[in-house]
Amino acid sequence: MEYLKLGHMEQGGQYYDDHAKGYYIPHYAVFKSNSITTKTRVVFDASATESSGKSLNDILMKRPVVQPTLYSTLLRFRIHQIALTADIEKMYRQILVHSDDCQLQKIVYRSKPTDELQELILKTVTYGTKTAPYLATRCLLSSTVGENV
């Protein structure tokens, strides 16, 4: 429900009337009873194969590593007297996916077993896809040099 509330997901059907096109990502909830901040989180399995024997991760192109090496990061960290670090909350979900590609990130969902199944479209980069780390890091690099990705 958080995905809907934050606009990271929308109801299917408006732009995606053809149910045959696209990919439905299997997903499940992971419960962590001893966590103070997040007790439940969603895990998307883009490596799950469909009837063709292929998964979404099988057909996505793997991109090169664009982040600095650990060695260069450590060197840069030691050069300066003051170091800053940051953590971007929901980093992948801060990046919108082009609407043409959202049909590859569909899910079937219902809040309660008595509710009807709904087709929902994920609108942001999905953790669990092969391209997610590249897209997130590339967006960070682009924002520091002011270019559009």
Side-chain angles (χ1 to χ4, degrees):
M1 296 312 295
E2 179 185 10
Y3 276 74
L4 283 170
K5 212 180 305 177
L6 294 173
H8 298 169
M9 179 169 65
E10 67 184 20
Q11 293 280 339
Q14 185 178 0
Y15 303 106
Y16 311 97
D17 289 329
D18 188 357
H19 296 291
K21 290 184 179 178
Y23 180 82
Y24 291 91
I25 301 177
H27 62 286
Y28 54 92
V30 173
F31 301 98
K32 195 170 186 180
S33 59
N34 61 350
S35 174
I36 296 169
T37 55
T38 308
K39 295 202 181 285
T40 306
R41 66 182 177 89
V42 181
V43 174
F44 296 97
D45 187 5
S47 294
T49 56
E50 59 171 29
S51 58
S52 68
K54 298 256 184 207
S55 70
L56 178 59
N57 279 342
D58 289 337
I59 62 170
L60 288 173
M61 184 169 56
K62 183 171 179 169
R63 302 301 306 219
V65 174
V66 292
Q67 66 200 46
T69 64
L70 182 56
Y71 179 73
S72 66
T73 302
L74 286 171
L75 281 179
R76 202 172 61 246
F77 188 80
R78 294 186 52 102
I79 288 172
H80 304 284
Q81 286 184 325
I82 299 172
L84 300 174
T85 63
D87 182 20
I88 301 171
E89 184 179 1
K90 298 177 180 63
M91 183 165 102
Y92 293 171
R93 290 173 43 195
Q94 303 297 326
I95 305 164
L96 289 174
V97 172
H98 192 279
S99 59
D100 293 346
D101 298 325
C102 288
Q103 67 180 340
L104 295 172
Q105 300 191 132
K106 296 192 272 189
I107 65 168
V108 177
Y109 175 77
R110 62 179 169 198
S111 299
K112 298 178 271 184
T114 55
D115 292 348
E116 282 192 40
L117 290 175
Q118 300 176 39
E119 178 186 90
L120 299 167
I121 311 299
L122 298 168
K123 296 170 46 178
T124 60
V125 170
T126 303
Y127 185 79
T129 57
K130 186 192 300 187
T131 55
Y134 170 81
L135 292 171
T137 308
R138 186 67 179 97
C139 285
L140 282 175
L141 291 174
S142 296
S143 69
T144 60
V145 294
E147 64 180 82
N148 292 324
V149 178

